[in-house]
Each structure stands twice: as C-alpha cells, then as structure tokens.
Amino acid sequence: MSVSDSPRVGAPAWRSLSSALARPRLFACLDRGSTLTVIDAPPGFGKRTLVAGWLHRGGAPDHTIVWVPELTASGDGDLSERVLEVLVDHPAVEVATDGPDDSPFERVVGTFRDLESPCLLVLACVSPQNSAEVLEGTLRLLDHCPRLDAIVCLPGNSTDMTEVVLRGIDSTYVPAADLAFTVEETTTLLRDAGPERSDSECEVVCRVLGGVPTLVSAAAVVARSRPQRLIDSRGLPTPALARLVRTYVENRLDELDDAHREFAFSVAAAHSVTADRAAELTGTADAEASLAMLAAAGLVMDSPFDDPRTWRWPDAVRSCVLDISRREHPGRVDALLVELARAHRDAGKPAEASIYAVEAGDWETAVAIVEESWARMVDSSFDVLVKVLRQIPDRELDDHPSVQAGRALFTQMLDEHSILHASLPTDPDELAELGKTRGAAQAVYVATVQTLTLRVSGEFGEAARLTLLLRPLVHSILEHRPDDLGPQLPLLRVQWAITLQLAGYLTESTTVFRRAYRGAYAASIAFVIQNAAGSSALNWAVTGDNPRAREWLRTESNAEPTEGRWGEMVKVGGRVASTLVHLDSLELDRAAGYLDELGVPRVSEELWGFVAYGRAYYNLTTGNAYDGLTELHRLIASHHDLFDRGAFSRILLGAAEIDLQLALGNGNLARALTEESPQNHPMLVVTNARVELFTGHPDVALKKLKRVPWTECGFPRAHLEALLVEASAHLDLDEKDAAVRSWQRACTLAEALGNRRAFTTLAQGVARRLAELGGPTVPGEPIGSVFTEPVTHVELSRRETDVLELLALGSTHADIAKKLFVSHNTIKTQLRSIYRKLGVHTRVEAIGRARDLRLLPVRRSL
C-alpha cells in the first residue's frame, strides 16, 4: 500500500504508511461503516496505522475526517474540549459560533450538525486510565449527532461493551486477536523484506511471535538485514530476533508495577490461562483485572468471545518472561510447571502435560507421558510429540526403547541413529526365544525403524524381508510379555502392513492391516482405523476381489473421519480402492470423482504407484491411452527413487504401460516391455499373453498362461482376464469347444466379481462370436474394446536382425556380406525386405525406425 500524492484531508500521513502492509480482511471490518467501531488492542498492534491506511486507501469516502491523535485526560467534558481543539484547526470544518452559555460539548455537537457531509470521528489514542469515560462520552456524542460515526482505539484493557449493546448502537468490535498478523500476512511481510522464505519458516515465525504486529515487523527488519533463517532447528528465534523480542518484553514489564510484574512471572508458567487458573497459580484475588493489565501491556492476548475467557502468551514472549522469572526467583516457576504437567496429565491432556514437563526439565514425567499416550499423541498431537522428543536428553532414554525408536523415526535422525546398527537373528526359533526376554520390545522397535528407513530409501524388497522376519518375534512377545508392546502395537502393525503392501506382499499385508484395525478399534485410534480399513480395501481392489474391497470400503466409511495432519494421508488407500472398484463396474463418473479427490500424487506420497495405476487404467478405459501413457511416464520420472525392482509399483505400472502401448497399436513396444518385465507375476503374465494374442501368436499366448495356477494365484481380476485371453486364443486357433468353456468360466467369474471392464480387453466382435457358439452373452449394454486393431507389429528374421545390427554399426554392404558369409546380392535382398517391413527407404530411416520399435538397442545419451 502507498499513500497517495494527495493525502486524505483530516487523516495524518507519516512516512511508514507508505510501506505498511495492506490488510484487506481488517479494511473490510472498517468498510462496514458501523456507527461505532471499537479497536481494542495494546500499543504495538498497529491500530493507528490500520485506520490511517484504510482512510488513505479510500475508506469512508463521503465522510469528513476528524482525527484526534491523543486523549490523556479523563471525563466527558475533557473529550469534548479535545475534539473541539481539533475542529478549530481543521481545514475543512467551520466551528459553530460560540454562544455565551455554550459548553464545549454543545459547540462540538453544533459543529457536527452544521456539516453538509457525514463525519467520521477517529479517537486514535486513548489512555488506559480513561478508556471507559471516553467510550461513554463518545456514545453521548453519537446520541446527539445523527450524521456522526466514530472509530475509537482503546488500549487493550477490554473495556466493557455492555452499554453499547444495550443501547442498540450499530457497532463493530475489533480485539487484539483480530489485529494479530495471520500466517499469510506474515509470509507476505517477510517475503517482501528480502530473500525468499519457506512457508514453514513463515508459519513458525507467526506462531512463535503470536502474530504481534510490532514483533512480526521487527522480524521483517531482521530478515531484510540478515538473509539467514529467523528460526533455528528447535523452532526458537535465532539470536538477532531473540534480542528484539527480549527488548520488547523488558520494556513491557518495566511499565508494570511490582505487583503486576510478580503476577506476570507466575502466570507465565501457563501457555494460556483463565482467570480461575491464574488465581490458582498466583493467589491473586482479582486475577481477571490483573490479566487485563498484562493484555494492556501487550504481553498476553485474549478474546472477549472465549468462554471461559482465556488469555494466551505468544511463545517467544512467554519464553523471555520465564527466563527473567527464573533469574529473579529460581525454582518458583519450575515448580508451577511441574504442577501444571500433573494437572493436565490427570485431566487426560497428554500433549499439554508433556510440554509442561519438558519446560520444567522433569524428564521422567515427560518420558512416562509419551510412553503411555504414544498412540493418542501421534493421532492428534503429532507436532507436540516431535517437539517433546527433540528436547528429551539422550541419557534419559536408555531404558525406554520405544521412545528412543520414536525419536529416531519422527525427528528425522534416521541416518545417524545408533539403533539402526543393531540386527535381528534370522532363525525363527531364536526369534521366539528373544520374544521371552525383557529386550524383545526394543528389538521390535529397532527393526521397525530399520524397515521404515529402507522403505524411505526405496529398498522395498529388503524392508519386506525384515518385516516378515518380525512375525515369530511378535508372536512370542504377545504370548509371553504382551504388555511390553502396549498401545504402540496398532501403529506398528500399520507400518508393517504398508511396507508389505509397497513390496507387493498383498496377502500378508492384508492380514496385518486386519490386525491393526482390530487393535486400533479397541484403542479408539481413529487414523489407524481409517488407514487400515482403506488400505485393506486397496489390497483387495488391486487383486480384483471387488466384493471384499467393497466390504472394507463400507467399514472405512463408518469410521470416525480423521482430521488434521493425517486427514488426507489416510484416505488415499480407500480412494484408490474406490476408483478401481468403480472402474471394474464401468461406473466411470464415480471413478473420475475419486481420481479428482486424489489428484496427482505428490513426491512424498508412498502410494503414488497405486494412484498412478488407477489413473492409467481410467485413461485406458475412457479411450485416452496416449494421455495415460504420457502421464504414466511423468509420474515414474518424478518418483524414480521409489521405482526400485523390489517395488510393487514396477509390477503395477509395468502392466499398465504394456496395455497402454497395446491400445495405441504399438505392438513392438508392448512386446519389448514384456521382455523387460518379470515373467511370473499374474498381472504381468496376463498382459504378456495379451500382447502375444494381439500380435498374432495365440499359441504362444496359451503357453504363457500356463505359467500361473490361476485358481490359487490370489489375483482374481488377472484370472478373469486370463480366461478371456484363453477364449480368444482358442477361437483364433479354431478350437471352438475350448473357447466356449473358457468363455463360460470367464462370464461366471466376472459376475461374481462385479467386473465388466475385463470385457473391454477383448478384440472387437469376439464376445459376439463366442455367444453365437453357445456361450453366454455379456450382461448389460454391449462393451467396446480398448485395443486398436490391427496392432502394428514388425517381426524380422534372425538373419534380417543380424543385417540390421551390422548396418547400425556403420558396416558397408560388402562388409556385411563378408561377415555373414553370404553374397552381396543376398544382402541387397534382405535389405529390401527389411525396408519393406519397416516402411522406410533409406539406411538412416531403417535404423531410426528399428530403434523406435525396439528392434535395435536404443542409444543412450551421455
């Protein structure tokens, strides 16, 4: 915002207004044009800057502005005298004539009545001593001047507004909490000050400083002169900013008398406090009045709309007050912190209790709270848990392996943490014996952190191997020492199940998810309940068992919704499952709705491969194979670190890419992909067989399908598609009876699974021909094919391939004939055949086309 060259008459303009932050949300409050607007905040909250900026921006455009800069005296008469002084010097106001018996009040009223335009009276600075009298005098003026509006800036002592309400005056009340900078405003201010600041840093600055405008503005000054971070790794102000906060706090404390200063030192033990709690902490009889005094000093903030009314400290301000209190009264505030930790623990508030215990240095209590409330804090107070874990000294965790492991995981110390160097025995009997010992739980925690470390680094196969190794150990612990794992078990099980899921061990993963669900249900851990249910549905949906997927989706829908940090994360599995289930039933609009909710998976999304799989098959089914292939390649590139050979995403997306290439008619590319993929996974076996079918090799397709025991493989969708490939292959080979048998089995299985999409994998007209031979018809409306016919497929003989490879190496015709021991004419004949098959006319075109079709190795750029 900038002040115009022709500033508003009656409104002051000072240099800092030109760089003041525009605040549309507060300007909107002033734009309401209420008869009375009360802005109630202590010094440093930018009351005058707000009103002046709004006026220069064009606020109250039809009003004459009467700005009263300061009111220090008390009483109604003194208000009138001060307003009259301003009116006398106002360039746009003619003061009413002074009669022999006129009081200052009558002259002010007469002046406002004589004005042709409405008037806005701004009382820009009211002292705490006379705020009530000034407000009463303002109301009296408003009663006598129908065309007068007023903005009164009070000092933040929460003056009683009851009289305003009872009189029915149109009013707007703006407390200090509303003047505090929001995260968005803090971000704008800091980024305008200089080097780019991350969203997270700006958010922490706003929280630590409580949004207090003068402190946030000071942070912007520091940011302008020092490009380094404003907040350190512990979430505390760095020295330069801390010095400014300390100066602010010391100045505010110096304004208090001794009694209120001592009151501040004691009440600072609490992050937020009601009058009753302040009375308990300090023994002060009129605690509410004392808290109002701290608010007027700019140390705490409250909102009169809270019930009960609650005063809150900005984090950095409170830290400074605590430091001064400890220096002047050693031990007193720490004793109060211990008492607050106990009270919150007894009240079932572990997050608050753990913070107070850490601030008091009561490590034993802090560790005990974390251990007993681990699951609850991960669910609803994760940021607090991380803060507490970071501050507990290492020596206090020697006998607490669960807390030690949690800190290694959640505070991102995975690479250097000592527990990662431990290893489990591999013999099941040794693991069972270990489960009987006191250190068994620690071994489980250590191994879990290790699996998560492997998972984060993309080593899914090794992570799954280690996870499966835990089974006999956990079974033994539950049999011999069940209390050792405690409330963390559902959380651990969810992590084990996700690890197995990402590695493609879907059967084992589903079993562990089910156990996690039961444990979380018993312990009321909402986010684990929803995560386990949705992820179970995902496993069944990926295999194609849609009835079971729908069952778990119903269970997920009945769970208590998860909000906060985990809210969106735990919904991913269920949304992908819903996408696949609705795709199979060809309810494409509903599938599209779930894909819209999922969006494009972020780099940090562990289930990105499952999301990409759903998006790819949606594009295939809706006839957008090219878009699907482009998006698939983009997602693989952005998640390449998680696309290791041990990742199940390679199976999922390998199958999807083969089908997309086949749908685009790229038979050679589809075949090349089949040769690069594993040859025994049911999902890939069926796509590989489909490539053989569509490129004219039905006999090879049947041979490939025999690699899998389909009724036992655990992938019913792949089984269904395999039966359809069998039926088509037998039909192409004129084996009609075998074709009808496979077709009948496919139709029966499709009905049981609720799967109509599988029939889109048939070539056009195949379903009709099989029905004419005596097989059942596809239920519902006719279903088209997603695959283009004919599929482009070039096959070269062994000798033609040899010639082409030598040609690509730059050999002449004579050289090729010599190396292959044939005549020059034979090479010419073979080259003509190669050019004809590739649809080209020159050596260069032939080599390029062959590489495109994967008939030659693709040259890799350095």
Side-chain angles (χ1 to χ4, degrees), residues 524-546:
S524 299
I525 309 175
F527 83 99
V528 176
I529 293 172
Q530 191 168 16
N531 196 348
S535 296
S536 295
L538 175 59
N539 285 349
W540 290 118
V542 167
T543 65
D545 194 333
N546 293 329

Side-chain angles (χ1 to χ4, degrees), residues 365-437:
T365 298
V367 172
I369 292 170
V370 170
E371 281 192 316
E372 70 191 20
S373 304
W374 181 277
R376 183 173 173 186
M377 292 181 73
V378 170
D379 188 0
S380 58
S381 308
F382 184 75
D383 291 338
V384 173
L385 175 61
V386 170
K387 183 177 180 180
V388 169
L389 289 172
R390 278 181 172 154
Q391 296 186 64
I392 297 175
D394 291 343
R395 64 181 182 277
E396 302 296 333
L397 298 180
D398 290 342
D399 296 326
H400 303 278
S402 63
V403 182
Q404 189 181 56
R407 186 169 70 170
L409 172 63
F410 293 132
T411 62
Q412 299 179 347
M413 297 190 299
L414 294 172
D415 290 338
E416 69 272 14
H417 203 285
S418 59
I419 70 172
L420 298 182
H421 302 297
S423 61
L424 284 177
T426 57
D427 183 80
D429 293 335
E430 291 183 37
L431 289 166
E433 286 301 313
L434 176 61
K436 301 175 184 179
T437 66

Side-chain angles (χ1 to χ4, degrees), residues 212-496:
V212 176
T214 189
L215 290 177
V216 176
S217 297
V221 173
V222 175
R224 187 176 296 113
S225 59
R226 292 175 175 83
Q228 61 265 35
R229 288 179 61 85
L230 299 170
I231 302 294
D232 64 21
S233 60
R234 297 172 298 162
L236 301 176
T238 49
L241 182 56
R243 282 194 295 272
L244 289 172
V245 175
R246 186 166 59 251
T247 300
Y248 172 88
V249 170
E250 289 173 347
N251 289 340
R252 296 299 184 271
L253 288 173
D254 288 343
E255 295 172 2
L256 301 175
D257 58 31
D258 290 343
H260 285 105
R261 182 182 174 90
E262 293 302 311
F263 177 84
F265 288 159
S266 294
V267 84
H271 292 267
S272 61
V273 65
T274 62
D276 289 343
R277 176 51 63 86
E280 293 173 6
L281 289 171
T282 65
T284 302
D286 192 358
E288 183 166 354
S290 295
L291 287 167
M293 184 63 71
L294 297 189
L299 292 169
V300 297
M301 286 188 292
D302 77 304
S303 171
F305 309 115
D306 287 343
D307 186 21
R309 192 168 183 178
T310 303
W311 286 260
R312 297 173 177 82
W313 291 90
D315 288 350
V317 171
R318 175 174 174 267
S319 294
C320 281
V321 176
L322 286 176
D323 288 343
I324 297 171
S325 177
R326 286 190 175 104
R327 189 167 61 245
E328 296 188 10
H329 305 286
R332 185 174 75 179
V333 75
D334 289 323
L336 293 172
L337 289 167
V338 169
E339 176 58 26
L340 284 168
R342 183 201 60 75
H344 281 85
R345 187 179 182 185
D346 292 345
K349 299 177 179 179
E352 295 89 338
S354 63
I355 285 291
Y356 285 125
V358 164
E359 290 177 339
D362 185 357
W363 308 119
E364 182 179 352
T365 298
V367 172
I369 292 170
V370 170
E371 281 192 316
E372 70 191 20
S373 304
W374 181 277
R376 183 173 173 186
M377 292 181 73
V378 170
D379 188 0
S380 58
S381 308
F382 184 75
D383 291 338
V384 173
L385 175 61
V386 170
K387 183 177 180 180
V388 169
L389 289 172
R390 278 181 172 154
Q391 296 186 64
I392 297 175
D394 291 343
R395 64 181 182 277
E396 302 296 333
L397 298 180
D398 290 342
D399 296 326
H400 303 278
S402 63
V403 182
Q404 189 181 56
R407 186 169 70 170
L409 172 63
F410 293 132
T411 62
Q412 299 179 347
M413 297 190 299
L414 294 172
D415 290 338
E416 69 272 14
H417 203 285
S418 59
I419 70 172
L420 298 182
H421 302 297
S423 61
L424 284 177
T426 57
D427 183 80
D429 293 335
E430 291 183 37
L431 289 166
E433 286 301 313
L434 176 61
K436 301 175 184 179
T437 66
R438 185 175 178 272
Q442 180 173 3
V444 171
Y445 294 128
V446 168
T448 300
V449 173
Q450 290 173 333
T451 62
L452 293 175
T453 306
L454 291 167
R455 200 171 88 194
V456 168
S457 63
E459 298 181 47
F460 299 104
E462 182 61 19
R465 184 198 66 78
L466 184 55
T467 299
L468 292 173
L469 198 62
L470 288 172
R471 288 188 295 187
L473 175 59
V474 174
H475 179 78
S476 180
I477 294 174
L478 294 178
E479 181 180 355
H480 298 99
R481 305 178 63 90
D483 294 336
D484 284 9
L485 289 178
Q488 291 94 332
L489 187 55
L491 295 169
L492 294 171
R493 279 179 166 153
V494 160
Q495 293 302 325
W496 300 336

Side-chain angles (χ1 to χ4, degrees), residues 730-783:
H730 286 305
L731 192 64
D732 287 352
L733 295 169
D734 203 27
E735 297 168 351
K736 297 178 182 177
D737 291 342
V740 170
R741 284 195 300 272
S742 296
W743 174 250
Q744 289 172 335
R745 292 174 62 199
C747 291
T748 301
L749 182 56
E751 185 175 0
L753 298 176
N755 188 329
R756 299 184 74 239
R757 180 169 67 90
F759 294 103
T760 66
T761 64
L762 292 169
Q764 204 68 39
V766 169
R768 176 183 53 77
R769 290 170 58 196
L770 289 166
E772 290 173 352
L773 291 173
T777 58
V778 178
E781 298 178 358
I783 298 174

Side-chain angles (χ1 to χ4, degrees), residues 771-811:
E772 290 173 352
L773 291 173
T777 58
V778 178
E781 298 178 358
I783 298 174
S785 175
V786 298
F787 295 117
T788 302
E789 289 191 283
V791 172
T792 302
H793 180 242
V794 175
E795 289 191 43
L796 301 178
S797 67
R798 178 64 263 174
R799 182 48 60 93
E800 288 172 340
T801 300
D802 292 339
V803 170
L804 190 58
E805 289 177 350
L806 291 170
L807 199 69
L809 292 173
S811 301

Side-chain angles (χ1 to χ4, degrees), residues 93 550 663:
V93 174
R550 290 180 184 275

